[in-house]
PDB file of all heavy atoms in Angstrom:
ATOM      1  N   TYR A 341      30.827 129.269  44.609  1.00  0.00           N
ATOM      2  CA  TYR A 341      30.107 129.280  43.325  1.00  0.00           C
ATOM      3  C   TYR A 341      28.716 128.662  43.485  1.00  0.00           C
ATOM      4  O   TYR A 341      27.755 129.136  42.892  1.00  0.00           O
ATOM      5  CB  TYR A 341      30.904 128.530  42.248  1.00  0.00           C
ATOM      6  CG  TYR A 341      31.926 129.404  41.565  1.00  0.00           C
ATOM      7  CD1 TYR A 341      33.187 129.610  42.112  1.00  0.00           C
ATOM      8  CD2 TYR A 341      31.631 130.053  40.368  1.00  0.00           C
ATOM      9  CE1 TYR A 341      34.129 130.425  41.493  1.00  0.00           C
ATOM     10  CE2 TYR A 341      32.558 130.863  39.738  1.00  0.00           C
ATOM     11  CZ  TYR A 341      33.807 131.046  40.304  1.00  0.00           C
ATOM     12  OH  TYR A 341      34.721 131.857  39.684  1.00  0.00           O
ATOM     13  N   ILE A 342      28.617 127.610  44.264  1.00  0.00           N
ATOM     14  CA  ILE A 342      27.312 126.956  44.457  1.00  0.00           C
ATOM     15  C   ILE A 342      26.357 127.904  45.180  1.00  0.00           C
ATOM     16  O   ILE A 342      25.195 128.051  44.803  1.00  0.00           O
ATOM     17  CB  ILE A 342      27.471 125.619  45.222  1.00  0.00           C
ATOM     18  CG1 ILE A 342      28.130 124.590  44.299  1.00  0.00           C
ATOM     19  CG2 ILE A 342      26.112 125.095  45.713  1.00  0.00           C
ATOM     20  CD1 ILE A 342      28.406 123.242  44.933  1.00  0.00           C
ATOM     21  N   ARG A 343      26.862 128.588  46.209  1.00  0.00           N
ATOM     22  CA  ARG A 343      25.996 129.520  46.957  1.00  0.00           C
ATOM     23  C   ARG A 343      25.511 130.660  46.076  1.00  0.00           C
ATOM     24  O   ARG A 343      24.426 131.195  46.275  1.00  0.00           O
ATOM     25  CB  ARG A 343      26.754 130.079  48.163  1.00  0.00           C
ATOM     26  CG  ARG A 343      26.873 129.089  49.294  1.00  0.00           C
ATOM     27  CD  ARG A 343      27.269 129.772  50.592  1.00  0.00           C
ATOM     28  NE  ARG A 343      28.650 130.244  50.585  1.00  0.00           N
ATOM     29  CZ  ARG A 343      29.701 129.466  50.784  1.00  0.00           C
ATOM     30  NH1 ARG A 343      29.533 128.171  50.974  1.00  0.00           N
ATOM     31  NH2 ARG A 343      30.923 129.953  50.774  1.00  0.00           N
ATOM     32  N   ALA A 344      26.321 131.033  45.106  1.00  0.00           N
ATOM     33  CA  ALA A 344      25.957 132.174  44.257  1.00  0.00           C
ATOM     34  C   ALA A 344      24.920 131.813  43.180  1.00  0.00           C
ATOM     35  O   ALA A 344      24.381 132.697  42.523  1.00  0.00           O
ATOM     36  CB  ALA A 344      27.217 132.743  43.601  1.00  0.00           C
ATOM     37  N   LEU A 345      24.641 130.521  43.013  1.00  0.00           N
ATOM     38  CA  LEU A 345      23.653 130.135  41.995  1.00  0.00           C
ATOM     39  C   LEU A 345      22.247 130.497  42.481  1.00  0.00           C
ATOM     40  O   LEU A 345      21.961 130.400  43.680  1.00  0.00           O
ATOM     41  CB  LEU A 345      23.698 128.616  41.749  1.00  0.00           C
ATOM     42  CG  LEU A 345      24.997 128.006  41.223  1.00  0.00           C
ATOM     43  CD1 LEU A 345      24.864 126.479  41.174  1.00  0.00           C
ATOM     44  CD2 LEU A 345      25.342 128.548  39.845  1.00  0.00           C
ATOM     45  N   SER A 346      21.375 130.846  41.559  1.00  0.00           N
ATOM     46  CA  SER A 346      19.976 131.006  41.951  1.00  0.00           C
ATOM     47  C   SER A 346      19.456 129.599  42.264  1.00  0.00           C
ATOM     48  O   SER A 346      19.987 128.618  41.736  1.00  0.00           O
ATOM     49  CB  SER A 346      19.171 131.614  40.806  1.00  0.00           C
ATOM     50  OG  SER A 346      19.036 130.654  39.776  1.00  0.00           O
ATOM     51  N   PRO A 347      18.443 129.484  43.136  1.00  0.00           N
ATOM     52  CA  PRO A 347      17.937 128.133  43.455  1.00  0.00           C
ATOM     53  C   PRO A 347      17.531 127.378  42.187  1.00  0.00           C
ATOM     54  O   PRO A 347      17.765 126.174  42.082  1.00  0.00           O
ATOM     55  CB  PRO A 347      16.722 128.414  44.339  1.00  0.00           C
ATOM     56  CG  PRO A 347      16.966 129.762  44.925  1.00  0.00           C
ATOM     57  CD  PRO A 347      17.770 130.533  43.920  1.00  0.00           C
ATOM     58  N   GLU A 348      16.969 128.092  41.232  1.00  0.00           N
ATOM     59  CA  GLU A 348      16.554 127.444  39.979  1.00  0.00           C
ATOM     60  C   GLU A 348      17.767 126.867  39.242  1.00  0.00           C
ATOM     61  O   GLU A 348      17.744 125.742  38.751  1.00  0.00           O
ATOM     62  CB  GLU A 348      15.841 128.434  39.054  1.00  0.00           C
ATOM     63  CG  GLU A 348      14.463 128.859  39.522  1.00  0.00           C
ATOM     64  CD  GLU A 348      14.484 129.852  40.683  1.00  0.00           C
ATOM     65  OE1 GLU A 348      15.558 130.465  40.943  1.00  0.00           O
ATOM     66  OE2 GLU A 348      13.440 130.014  41.349  1.00  0.00           O
ATOM     67  N   THR A 349      18.846 127.668  39.161  1.00  0.00           N
ATOM     68  CA  THR A 349      20.047 127.188  38.466  1.00  0.00           C
ATOM     69  C   THR A 349      20.684 126.035  39.242  1.00  0.00           C
ATOM     70  O   THR A 349      21.172 125.070  38.654  1.00  0.00           O
ATOM     71  CB  THR A 349      21.077 128.326  38.308  1.00  0.00           C
ATOM     72  OG1 THR A 349      20.389 129.469  37.833  1.00  0.00           O
ATOM     73  CG2 THR A 349      22.181 127.950  37.356  1.00  0.00           C
ATOM     74  N   PHE A 350      20.655 126.161  40.559  1.00  0.00           N
ATOM     75  CA  PHE A 350      21.199 125.088  41.403  1.00  0.00           C
ATOM     76  C   PHE A 350      20.514 123.765  41.069  1.00  0.00           C
ATOM     77  O   PHE A 350      21.173 122.749  40.809  1.00  0.00           O
ATOM     78  CB  PHE A 350      20.991 125.469  42.874  1.00  0.00           C
ATOM     79  CG  PHE A 350      21.376 124.423  43.871  1.00  0.00           C
ATOM     80  CD1 PHE A 350      22.700 124.035  44.025  1.00  0.00           C
ATOM     81  CD2 PHE A 350      20.413 123.837  44.685  1.00  0.00           C
ATOM     82  CE1 PHE A 350      23.057 123.080  44.971  1.00  0.00           C
ATOM     83  CE2 PHE A 350      20.760 122.880  45.627  1.00  0.00           C
ATOM     84  CZ  PHE A 350      22.082 122.501  45.766  1.00  0.00           C
ATOM     85  N   VAL A 351      19.190 123.791  41.017  1.00  0.00           N
ATOM     86  CA  VAL A 351      18.437 122.569  40.714  1.00  0.00           C
ATOM     87  C   VAL A 351      18.715 122.110  39.283  1.00  0.00           C
ATOM     88  O   VAL A 351      18.911 120.919  39.019  1.00  0.00           O
ATOM     89  CB  VAL A 351      16.925 122.784  40.953  1.00  0.00           C
ATOM     90  CG1 VAL A 351      16.135 121.557  40.523  1.00  0.00           C
ATOM     91  CG2 VAL A 351      16.665 123.093  42.420  1.00  0.00           C
ATOM     92  N   ALA A 352      18.783 123.067  38.366  1.00  0.00           N
ATOM     93  CA  ALA A 352      19.056 122.716  36.970  1.00  0.00           C
ATOM     94  C   ALA A 352      20.422 122.041  36.844  1.00  0.00           C
ATOM     95  O   ALA A 352      20.597 121.066  36.106  1.00  0.00           O
ATOM     96  CB  ALA A 352      18.995 123.958  36.087  1.00  0.00           C
ATOM     97  N   ARG A 353      21.408 122.558  37.590  1.00  0.00           N
ATOM     98  CA  ARG A 353      22.753 121.952  37.550  1.00  0.00           C
ATOM     99  C   ARG A 353      22.726 120.537  38.125  1.00  0.00           C
ATOM    100  O   ARG A 353      23.349 119.625  37.597  1.00  0.00           O
ATOM    101  CB  ARG A 353      23.748 122.783  38.358  1.00  0.00           C
ATOM    102  CG  ARG A 353      24.062 124.134  37.773  1.00  0.00           C
ATOM    103  CD  ARG A 353      24.837 123.966  36.472  1.00  0.00           C
ATOM    104  NE  ARG A 353      25.370 125.222  36.016  1.00  0.00           N
ATOM    105  CZ  ARG A 353      26.610 125.665  36.277  1.00  0.00           C
ATOM    106  NH1 ARG A 353      27.445 124.942  36.964  1.00  0.00           N
ATOM    107  NH2 ARG A 353      27.009 126.827  35.812  1.00  0.00           N
ATOM    108  N   LEU A 354      22.006 120.375  39.230  1.00  0.00           N
ATOM    109  CA  LEU A 354      21.896 119.042  39.836  1.00  0.00           C
ATOM    110  C   LEU A 354      21.310 118.065  38.831  1.00  0.00           C
ATOM    111  O   LEU A 354      21.800 116.956  38.645  1.00  0.00           O
ATOM    112  CB  LEU A 354      20.996 119.079  41.074  1.00  0.00           C
ATOM    113  CG  LEU A 354      21.543 119.753  42.325  1.00  0.00           C
ATOM    114  CD1 LEU A 354      20.455 119.840  43.389  1.00  0.00           C
ATOM    115  CD2 LEU A 354      22.736 118.971  42.884  1.00  0.00           C
ATOM    116  N   GLN A 355      20.273 118.541  38.165  1.00  0.00           N
ATOM    117  CA  GLN A 355      19.577 117.697  37.204  1.00  0.00           C
ATOM    118  C   GLN A 355      20.478 117.353  36.016  1.00  0.00           C
ATOM    119  O   GLN A 355      20.607 116.198  35.634  1.00  0.00           O
ATOM    120  CB  GLN A 355      18.356 118.453  36.690  1.00  0.00           C
ATOM    121  CG  GLN A 355      17.079 117.700  36.881  1.00  0.00           C
ATOM    122  CD  GLN A 355      15.907 118.468  36.299  1.00  0.00           C
ATOM    123  OE1 GLN A 355      15.869 119.715  36.392  1.00  0.00           O
ATOM    124  NE2 GLN A 355      14.984 117.765  35.707  1.00  0.00           N
ATOM    125  N   ALA A 356      21.116 118.374  35.469  1.00  0.00           N
ATOM    126  CA  ALA A 356      21.935 118.178  34.269  1.00  0.00           C
ATOM    127  C   ALA A 356      23.098 117.231  34.540  1.00  0.00           C
ATOM    128  O   ALA A 356      23.519 116.483  33.667  1.00  0.00           O
ATOM    129  CB  ALA A 356      22.455 119.517  33.772  1.00  0.00           C
ATOM    130  N   GLU A 357      23.628 117.283  35.753  1.00  0.00           N
ATOM    131  CA  GLU A 357      24.799 116.454  36.053  1.00  0.00           C
ATOM    132  C   GLU A 357      24.415 115.181  36.809  1.00  0.00           C
ATOM    133  O   GLU A 357      25.287 114.521  37.385  1.00  0.00           O
ATOM    134  CB  GLU A 357      25.835 117.264  36.838  1.00  0.00           C
ATOM    135  CG  GLU A 357      26.469 118.396  36.036  1.00  0.00           C
ATOM    136  CD  GLU A 357      27.417 117.913  34.935  1.00  0.00           C
ATOM    137  OE1 GLU A 357      28.198 116.977  35.164  1.00  0.00           O
ATOM    138  OE2 GLU A 357      27.350 118.480  33.823  1.00  0.00           O
ATOM    139  N   ASN A 358      23.135 114.870  36.806  1.00  0.00           N
ATOM    140  CA  ASN A 358      22.665 113.627  37.462  1.00  0.00           C
ATOM    141  C   ASN A 358      22.897 113.569  38.956  1.00  0.00           C
ATOM    142  O   ASN A 358      23.246 112.516  39.497  1.00  0.00           O
ATOM    143  CB  ASN A 358      23.327 112.402  36.830  1.00  0.00           C
ATOM    144  CG  ASN A 358      22.597 111.987  35.589  1.00  0.00           C
ATOM    145  OD1 ASN A 358      21.371 112.102  35.536  1.00  0.00           O
ATOM    146  ND2 ASN A 358      23.336 111.532  34.592  1.00  0.00           N
ATOM    147  N   PHE A 359      22.761 114.685  39.611  1.00  0.00           N
ATOM    148  CA  PHE A 359      22.917 114.702  41.059  1.00  0.00           C
ATOM    149  C   PHE A 359      21.594 114.852  41.799  1.00  0.00           C
ATOM    150  O   PHE A 359      21.578 115.002  43.011  1.00  0.00           O
ATOM    151  CB  PHE A 359      23.856 115.831  41.493  1.00  0.00           C
ATOM    152  CG  PHE A 359      25.294 115.587  41.135  1.00  0.00           C
ATOM    153  CD1 PHE A 359      25.950 116.422  40.257  1.00  0.00           C
ATOM    154  CD2 PHE A 359      25.983 114.519  41.683  1.00  0.00           C
ATOM    155  CE1 PHE A 359      27.277 116.209  39.930  1.00  0.00           C
ATOM    156  CE2 PHE A 359      27.309 114.292  41.359  1.00  0.00           C
ATOM    157  CZ  PHE A 359      27.960 115.144  40.485  1.00  0.00           C
ATOM    158  N   LEU A 360      20.493 114.857  41.055  1.00  0.00           N
ATOM    159  CA  LEU A 360      19.200 114.968  41.727  1.00  0.00           C
ATOM    160  C   LEU A 360      18.997 113.661  42.514  1.00  0.00           C
ATOM    161  O   LEU A 360      19.054 112.589  41.935  1.00  0.00           O
ATOM    162  CB  LEU A 360      18.113 115.149  40.664  1.00  0.00           C
ATOM    163  CG  LEU A 360      16.855 115.891  41.100  1.00  0.00           C
ATOM    164  CD1 LEU A 360      17.191 117.282  41.631  1.00  0.00           C
ATOM    165  CD2 LEU A 360      15.890 116.003  39.938  1.00  0.00           C
ATOM    166  N   PRO A 361      18.786 113.760  43.820  1.00  0.00           N
ATOM    167  CA  PRO A 361      18.694 112.518  44.609  1.00  0.00           C
ATOM    168  C   PRO A 361      17.503 111.659  44.175  1.00  0.00           C
ATOM    169  O   PRO A 361      16.492 112.185  43.695  1.00  0.00           O
ATOM    170  CB  PRO A 361      18.473 113.027  46.035  1.00  0.00           C
ATOM    171  CG  PRO A 361      18.893 114.457  46.033  1.00  0.00           C
ATOM    172  CD  PRO A 361      18.659 114.963  44.654  1.00  0.00           C
ATOM    173  N   VAL A 362      17.646 110.364  44.365  1.00  0.00           N
ATOM    174  CA  VAL A 362      16.556 109.444  44.059  1.00  0.00           C
ATOM    175  C   VAL A 362      15.356 109.835  44.938  1.00  0.00           C
ATOM    176  O   VAL A 362      15.517 110.065  46.129  1.00  0.00           O
ATOM    177  CB  VAL A 362      16.970 107.984  44.387  1.00  0.00           C
ATOM    178  CG1 VAL A 362      15.832 107.011  44.109  1.00  0.00           C
ATOM    179  CG2 VAL A 362      18.208 107.616  43.589  1.00  0.00           C
ATOM    180  N   GLY A 363      14.200 109.938  44.331  1.00  0.00           N
ATOM    181  CA  GLY A 363      13.008 110.287  45.098  1.00  0.00           C
ATOM    182  C   GLY A 363      12.712 111.779  45.086  1.00  0.00           C
ATOM    183  O   GLY A 363      11.629 112.203  45.458  1.00  0.00           O
TER     184      GLY A 363
END
Side-chain angles (χ1 to χ4, degrees):
Y341 275 84
I342 288 177
R343 284 196 289 281
L345 298 175
S346 71
E348 289 75 16
T349 313
F350 175 66
V351 175
R353 292 292 191 95
L354 288 173
Q355 236 182 323
E357 293 289 318
N358 277 325
F359 289 117
L360 207 57
V362 179

